[in-house]
């Protein structure tokens, strides 16, 4: 399962610098002028997971292999660095049409908001992150209003009068919220209403997180702007992340410790994105590889098996499961079985984060 995060914001808030740091290589043009990023830059980024390293060591020890022989395959996130938006984008100003089209394709919007002061960097918006956020959201709302108006006026053939009325009422409900300056994702909708608006791919119905781009001096002393939910926010310095990306893993750890940080920006953003989209990872462990697989929280064992191969769903027999902590404590499958830490689960078993699983698949 691939998670796609769109890095969004006004020009020169630090999107491309952050993107470069996340990828640990300079693949986006981080120039100091608007629209340096004309086409979206896309990159697959590994999600750091210390559990994989510990699992691999346990697998190697149990199999009598030299340390470092078992490959690690982390979960991944697709980051999309999207061209800077300006006021009027919904009407095609700047690169608005491209911007809005690319936003439709992502699962999650990450608003990068500039908080750092730097006289050498051109300011397109303001130094008030809330004003900048409102500018972006307003353009998304205007585009959604346009989409909903077209949908309501379209000649969609619905024979059932009640179904047609319900569809129109649902559209009006969202339109009214947007006209009041509310995002579609803030409107409480029934499952049926969600099913109706789903095909419209509303920009304001996507979940959002926020990355406040600060200077090094602000990292430990920054107050969140009013209206920004702490649980959906990470404080990050794109400049520091850029410096970290050029260091070895050992030097990164030292640098982060000096800054009083436990995790790098990519780790905090990945964790935040996972949490926002209710995603978890189950693990597989063997001599061929140790791997993390991404699934929605609440997935059954049968559904989770399909992430490995779609045929597994049809031929699912059972899942052999143990907790990650038990795997590490016991030292692997053999010892865990002897200690009664391994259990068999059926297709309706709800997978939890960190489950180590072997799937039994028929022919």
């Amino acid at each position: 399962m691939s998670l796609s995060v769109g890095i969004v914001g006004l020009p020169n808030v630090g999107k491309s610098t952050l993107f470069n740091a996340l990828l640990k290589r300079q693949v986006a043009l981080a120039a100091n002028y608007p629209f340096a990023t004309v086409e979206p830059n896309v990159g697959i980024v590994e999600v750091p997971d210390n559990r994989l390293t510990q699992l691999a060591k346990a697998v190697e020890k149990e199999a009598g292999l030299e340390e470092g022989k078992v490959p690690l395959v982390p979960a991944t996130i697709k980051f999309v660095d999207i061209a800077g938006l300006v006021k009027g984008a919904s009407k095609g100003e700047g690169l608005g049409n491209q911007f809005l089209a690319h936003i439709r394709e992502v699962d999650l919007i990450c608003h990068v908001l500039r908080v750092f002061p730097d006289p050498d960097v051109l300011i397109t918006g303001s130094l008030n992150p809330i004003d900048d956020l409102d500018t972006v959201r307003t353009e998304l709302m205007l585009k959604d209003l346009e989409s909903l108006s077209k949908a309501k006026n379209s000649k969609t053939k619905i024979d059932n009068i009640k179904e047609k009325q319900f569809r129109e009422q649902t559209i009006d409900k969202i339109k009214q919220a947007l006209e009041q300056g509310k995002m579609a994702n803030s409107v409480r909708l029934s499952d049926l209403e969600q099913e109706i608006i789903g095909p419209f791919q509303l920009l304001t119905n996507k979940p959002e997180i926020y990355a406040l781009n600060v200077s090094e001096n602000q990292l430990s002393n920054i107050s969140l702007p009013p209206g920004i939910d702490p649980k959906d926010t990470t404080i990050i310095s794109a400049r520091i992340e850029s410096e970290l990306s050029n260091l070895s893993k050992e030097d990164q750890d030292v640098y982060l410790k000096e800054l009083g940080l436990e995790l790098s920006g990519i780790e905090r953003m990945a964790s935040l994105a996972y949490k926002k989209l209710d995603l978890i990872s189950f693990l597989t462990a063997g001599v061929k590889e140790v791997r993390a697989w991404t699934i929605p929280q609440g997935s059954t064992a049968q559904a989770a098996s399909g992430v490995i191969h779609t045929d597994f769903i049809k031929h699912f027999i059972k899942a052999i499961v143990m907790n990650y902590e038990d795997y590490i404590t016991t030292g692997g499958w053999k010892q865990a079985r002897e200690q009664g830490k391994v259990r068999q689960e059926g297709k309706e078993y709800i997978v939890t984060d960190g489950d180590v699983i072997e799937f039994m698949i028929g022919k």
Side-chain angles (χ1 to χ4, degrees):
M1 182 176 180
S2 177
L3 168 64
S4 177
V5 179
I7 301 177
V8 173
L10 297 181
N12 299 320
V13 296
K15 301 186 313 300
S16 293
T17 302
L18 178 58
F19 181 75
N20 292 335
L22 291 172
L23 291 183
K24 299 186 179 179
R25 52 191 174 93
Q26 298 299 310
V27 296
L29 179 61
N32 180 26
Y33 54 87
F35 312 129
T37 313
V38 178
E39 293 296 328
N41 295 277
V42 179
I44 304 299
V45 180
E46 295 179 348
V47 181
D49 190 337
N50 291 330
R51 296 176 301 190
L52 298 180
T53 302
Q54 299 306 314
L55 277 177
K57 288 180 179 179
V59 169
E60 290 158 351
K61 184 175 181 180
E62 185 178 36
L65 298 175
E66 182 181 343
E67 188 171 315
K69 287 294 185 181
V70 174
L72 306 182
V73 185
T76 60
I77 291 181
K78 182 169 75 171
F79 280 97
V80 183
D81 180 29
I82 299 175
L85 174 144
V86 295
K87 188 175 181 179
S90 60
K91 302 301 181 183
E93 293 294 329
L95 297 174
N97 291 331
Q98 295 180 45
F99 171 91
L100 296 167
H102 297 311
I103 284 291
R104 290 195 196 281
E105 299 171 3
V106 300
D107 301 302
L108 174 71
I109 296 175
C110 176
H111 292 280
V112 179
L113 304 175
R114 173 178 172 170
V115 182
F116 68 91
D118 189 339
D120 296 327
V121 177
L122 179 66
I123 299 175
T124 304
S126 70
L127 265 180
N128 184 332
I130 296 302
D131 287 348
D132 291 352
L133 177 60
D134 286 344
T135 296
V136 174
R137 282 179 165 175
T138 296
E139 296 305 320
L140 300 183
M141 291 177 191
L142 290 172
K143 196 64 179 179
D144 279 351
L145 280 169
E146 179 185 315
S147 299
L148 289 173
S149 294
K150 289 180 178 178
K152 188 174 180 180
N153 295 328
S154 67
K155 299 185 183 299
T156 303
K157 186 176 181 180
I158 302 177
D159 294 328
N160 188 300
I161 295 178
K162 288 187 177 181
E163 286 184 10
K164 184 177 181 179
Q165 289 176 338
F166 187 76
R167 179 179 184 273
E168 291 179 352
Q169 289 170 359
T170 301
I171 291 175
D172 286 338
K173 183 178 182 178
I174 301 298
K175 283 186 66 178
Q176 184 177 5
L178 293 172
E179 288 166 352
Q180 295 173 351
K182 299 176 182 178
M183 302 283 282
N185 58 23
S186 70
V187 182
R188 297 186 64 176
L189 299 174
S190 66
D191 290 342
L192 184 54
E193 288 172 326
Q194 286 283 9
E195 187 177 325
I196 289 172
I197 70 166
F200 302 151
Q201 294 183 299
L202 297 180
L203 304 174
T204 60
N205 201 38
K206 294 181 181 295
E208 302 171 297
I209 60 175
Y210 313 96
L212 297 189
N213 189 11
V214 303
S215 66
E216 179 178 339
N217 296 331
Q218 295 173 299
L219 272 174
S220 58
N221 185 30
I222 188 75
S223 298
L224 292 184
I228 297 293
D229 194 333
K231 74 176 186 302
D232 294 333
T233 306
T234 183
I235 307 299
I236 192 168
S237 170
R239 180 171 292 183
I240 289 176
E241 293 300 320
S242 181
E243 294 172 359
L244 281 170
S245 69
N246 295 317
L247 301 177
S248 66
K249 181 63 172 66
E250 292 75 16
D251 289 341
Q252 285 183 30
D253 292 339
V254 172
Y255 191 13
L256 287 171
K257 189 174 181 180
E258 291 176 351
L259 294 171
L261 301 174
E262 295 182 4
L263 299 173
S264 68
I266 186 174
E267 291 170 316
R268 284 181 277 125
M269 287 185 68
S271 175
L272 186 59
Y274 261 54
K275 184 176 181 180
K276 189 64 178 179
L277 286 177
D278 291 327
L279 298 174
I280 63 171
S281 294
F282 74 87
L283 312 170
T284 53
V287 294
K288 290 185 178 180
E289 67 176 22
V290 168
R291 184 165 184 159
W293 303 85
T294 303
I295 56 173
Q297 188 168 345
S299 296
T300 64
Q302 185 177 31
S305 71
V307 176
I308 298 177
H309 197 292
T310 53
D311 286 350
F312 284 11
I313 296 177
K314 181 179 179 180
H315 302 291
F316 180 93
I317 297 176
K318 61 184 176 181
I320 310 300
V321 185
M322 73 166 135
N323 299 327
Y324 162 78
E325 291 80 7
D326 288 338
Y327 195 109
I328 299 303
T329 301
T330 60
W333 286 109
K334 182 179 179 182
Q335 295 91 330
R337 285 189 174 92
E338 292 173 353
Q339 296 180 32
K341 300 293 186 180
V342 179
R343 61 189 189 277
Q344 297 184 17
E345 301 287 359
K347 62 183 181 180
E348 297 302 324
Y349 168 71
I350 302 300
V351 177
T352 62
D353 186 59
D355 275 351
V356 184
I357 305 178
E358 282 187 353
F359 291 107
M360 301 293 104
I361 307 298
K363 296 182 180 181

